[in-house]
């Protein structure tokens, strides 16, 4: 397999490395996740995360095993192990399924490697197209609120929502980004704020519960978020808190955009009700742990709910920014999402 490199993912011709996203922004540490068990754990612990990137990373891991002589009889088992690492982001299943077509009769190392190289380079291209399409919706002077992390850390390319933001700035638009810190795991505060600084994009970090007041004060002209799975009726799953933001944007009459590649569309989900939502450990809500240390702020046994994602209904979405085109509610109603998938 050829060498591969993105902001937080690397294949050096021998080993697979990820920039440990649990440690950012305090520490920049690359860890070896060549072994499938290590990759599964890294995906589950969110050391590598973001819908598109977990698909790419898992596919590269599987292809590398094949290159290293994984027997044909173990291919499907290893693929399933990686495919089941997390349940909500469909990109993971889409990427692994693309390689599973080589199981059994069609097992061919060269073809598996080539398909994996395409998965990586395609993700880079899809991000570019999303950035180009979405940038046109951003106006000079916009305040843009975003949630979670959707940039170069979450994809093989420039990202989805953050890719759009970056392209708007590159095209000379003066923008200001309001970064939701994104409880409970703080992908906004730890990762998006870090990426904004790296990209030199003016930004302000807010706690999730401050979004309403930013909107009321007239600081937010657009909300742009990423997604983990889009159902055919336009409902979509994204990091928990997105649904609340969509309601707030609706109340304040602020356009609410969701950005993602076609690999995030699930043709098997008719509506958001069919999207599986990952429930994570209660410890994540009772406190934090990371490069910054550990803190517990709730009683150790305190009952907790911790859905990692929520579903935003299509009727709260102003537009879906995809790699092929921007879809509006009337497009969604006439089957536009299916038409954005390759034949
Ligand atoms: O749990 P995470 O950090 O993997 O969740 C990621 C998100 O919800 C992102 O917003 C989404 O995957 C879009 S990434 C381009």
């Amino acid at each position: 397999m050829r060498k591969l490199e993105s902001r937080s993912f690397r294949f050096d011709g021998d080993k697979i490395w990820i920039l440990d996203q649990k440690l950012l922004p305090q520490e920049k540490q690359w860890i070896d996740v060549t072994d499938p068990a290590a990759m599964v754990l890294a995906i589950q612990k969110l050391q590598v995360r973001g819908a598109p990137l977990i698909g790419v990373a898992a596919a590269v891991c599987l292809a590398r095993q094949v290159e290293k002589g994984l027997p044909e009889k173990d291919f499907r088992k290893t693929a399933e192990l990686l495919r089941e690492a997390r349940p909500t982001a469909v990109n993971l299943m889409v990427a692994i399924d693309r390689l599973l077509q080589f199981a059994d009769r069609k097992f061919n190392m060269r073809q598996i490697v080539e398909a994996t190289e395409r998965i990586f380079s395609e993700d880079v291209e899809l991000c570019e197209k999303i950035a180009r399409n979405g940038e046109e919706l951003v106006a000079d002077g916009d305040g843009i609120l975003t949630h979670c992390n959707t940039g170069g850390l979450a994809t093989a390319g420039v990202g989805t929502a953050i890719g759009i933001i970056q392209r708007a700035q590159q095209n000379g638009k003066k923008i200001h980004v309001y970064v939701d810190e994104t409880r409970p795991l703080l992908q906004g505060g730890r990762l998006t704020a870090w990426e904004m600084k790296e990209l030199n994009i003016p930004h302000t970090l807010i706690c999730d519960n401050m979004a309403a007041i930013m909107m009321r004060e007239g600081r937010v002209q657009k909300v742009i978020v990423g997604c983990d799975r889009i159902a055919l009726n336009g409902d979509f799953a994204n990091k928990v808190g997105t649904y609340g933001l969509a309601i707030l944007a609706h109340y304040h009459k602020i356009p609410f955009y969701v950005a993602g590649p076609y690999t995030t569309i699930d043709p098997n989900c008719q509506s958001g009700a069919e999207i599986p939502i990952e429930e994570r450990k209660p410890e994540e809500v009772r406190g934090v742990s990371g490069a910054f240390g550990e803190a517990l702020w709730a009683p150790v046994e305190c009952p907790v709910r911790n859905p990692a994602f929520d579903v935003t209904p299509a009727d709260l979405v102003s537009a879906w920014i995809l790699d092929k085109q921007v879809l509006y509610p009337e497009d969604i109603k006439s089957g536009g999402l299916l038409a954005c998938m390759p034949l």
Side-chain angles (χ1 to χ4, degrees):
M1 191 158 37
R2 70 176 168 86
K3 291 182 182 174
L4 305 167
E5 187 156 8
S6 76
R7 186 182 281 264
S8 65
F9 179 84
R10 206 156 64 203
F11 173 61
D12 64 9
D14 177 25
K15 290 191 159 77
I16 302 166
W17 301 91
I18 53 154
L19 182 58
D20 186 344
Q21 297 194 40
K22 283 280 279 181
L23 300 180
L24 283 174
Q26 274 77 13
E27 276 178 48
K28 269 193 182 176
Q29 200 180 107
W30 288 84
I31 56 170
D32 176 356
V33 287
T34 313
D35 181 67
M39 176 63 84
V40 167
L41 212 61
I43 291 174
Q44 290 171 343
K45 286 165 72 181
L46 271 56
Q47 290 169 299
V48 55
R49 49 152 295 286
L53 189 61
I54 59 174
V56 168
V60 173
C61 181
L62 182 58
R64 182 62 187 144
Q65 290 306 306
V66 173
E67 249 186 350
K68 286 169 73 179
L70 181 76
E72 189 176 341
K73 66 174 178 45
D74 294 335
F75 178 67
R76 190 175 284 279
K77 201 171 68 194
T78 309
E80 295 295 348
L81 189 80
L82 289 160
R83 194 181 187 278
E84 284 161 18
R86 287 186 79 186
T88 302
V90 75
N91 310 61
L92 175 59
M93 295 87 197
V94 168
I96 293 296
D97 288 348
R98 269 162 81 164
L99 301 188
L100 268 173
Q101 63 169 312
F102 298 106
D104 310 326
R105 278 180 306 121
K106 287 195 258 167
F107 193 76
N108 175 310
M109 193 259 274
R110 200 56 247 152
Q111 285 181 3
I112 291 171
V113 165
E114 280 169 14
T116 303
E117 290 173 348
R118 271 200 304 281
I119 288 171
F120 184 93
S121 52
E122 186 196 45
D123 193 56
V124 176
E125 286 159 22
L126 294 173
C127 289
E128 288 298 321
K129 290 178 179 168
I130 292 166
R132 190 194 57 210
N133 291 340
E135 188 279 336
E136 292 179 11
L137 298 171
V138 177
D140 191 23
D142 272 354
I144 301 172
L145 194 146
T146 192
H147 193 65
C148 198
N149 174 265
T150 61
L153 293 171
T155 65
V158 292
T160 57
I162 288 182
I164 293 168
I165 288 167
Q166 185 184 354
R167 189 57 43 83
Q169 149 140 327
Q170 283 165 344
N171 288 353
K173 294 177 185 169
K174 285 201 170 45
I175 49 170
H176 192 96
V177 178
Y178 289 89
V179 179
D180 254 2
E181 69 174 350
T182 315
R183 282 277 294 138
L185 294 179
L186 307 166
Q187 288 92 329
R190 294 185 300 106
L191 307 176
T192 299
W194 180 75
E195 279 200 275
M196 290 295 106
K197 185 157 187 291
E198 294 270 302
L199 297 169
N200 223 353
I201 298 175
H203 60 283
T204 302
L205 177 64
I206 58 167
C207 299
D208 300 346
N209 51 9
M210 298 169 189
I213 192 159
M214 294 303 125
M215 292 181 184
R216 166 150 290 185
E217 288 176 355
R219 297 179 196 278
V220 179
Q221 281 66 50
K222 295 200 171 117
V223 177
I224 313 180
V225 296
C227 47
D228 289 77
R229 195 184 292 228
I230 311 176
L232 288 184
N233 72 343
D235 298 350
F236 73 95
N238 191 46
K239 181 52 57 193
V240 67
T242 303
Y243 174 38
L245 270 184
I247 294 171
L248 289 177
H250 183 73
Y251 179 81
H252 290 93
K253 301 189 175 31
I254 294 168
F256 179 91
Y257 299 129
V258 56
Y262 82 85
T263 47
T264 309
I265 302 171
D266 186 350
N268 299 313
C269 275
Q270 295 303 319
S271 81
E274 293 166 43
I275 300 177
I277 299 294
E278 177 183 7
E279 285 275 344
R280 293 184 61 88
K281 288 188 193 148
E283 287 82 357
E284 294 179 347
V285 177
R286 295 190 193 118
V288 284
S289 74
F292 37 77
E294 303 216 353
L296 183 73
W297 49 67
V300 188
E301 302 293 331
C302 176
V304 162
R305 273 293 311 282
N306 188 12
F309 302 92
D310 58 25
V311 172
T312 299
D315 56 11
L316 293 174
V317 181
S318 311
W320 292 252
I321 304 167
L322 298 164
D323 46 279
K324 189 172 178 206
Q325 66 184 103
V326 177
L327 295 177
Y328 293 93
E330 57 276 19
D331 305 316
I332 297 287
K333 290 190 186 98
S334 56
L337 280 164
L338 261 189
C340 281
M341 301 192 72
L343 295 173

